[in-house]
Amino acid sequence: MSIDEMTGIQATERIEKDLPMRPGKVGRREFEYIPHGTQSLIAVLQCLPLVKLSNQVVEIQEQK
């Protein structure tokens, strides 16, 4: 299991909507925003399922 925390993320809202792409033009995004404070994000992920893969025991011998 992996736990990650990211604090101090700005909660913002764009003043204008993004302009969509047009033939020969790139999409445009407004750079002005309204701040709404900060927030924290905490994520918990299970990286690998807990599955028993095998019942085999392997004996390793050192070669001389």
Side-chain angles (χ1 to χ4, degrees), residues 1-63:
M1 194 179 302
S2 175
I3 299 174
D4 193 14
E5 179 180 9
M6 187 172 185
T7 59
I9 302 169
Q10 288 188 352
T12 59
E13 177 183 1
R14 301 273 179 201
I15 292 176
E16 298 290 331
K17 292 184 178 180
D18 295 343
L19 295 174
M21 293 190 323
R22 293 184 182 172
K25 302 270 184 172
V26 297
R28 295 180 182 221
R29 175 174 269 185
E30 177 65 42
F31 64 89
E32 293 186 55
Y33 61 89
I34 301 169
H36 292 292
T38 59
Q39 58 190 10
S40 295
L41 174 68
I42 298 173
V44 179
L45 303 172
Q46 183 176 351
C47 299
L48 296 173
L50 300 175
V51 177
K52 191 173 185 179
L53 298 176
S54 174
N55 286 336
Q56 290 182 331
V57 176
V58 178
E59 186 177 325
I60 300 173
Q61 295 179 352
E62 187 176 320
Q63 293 182 347

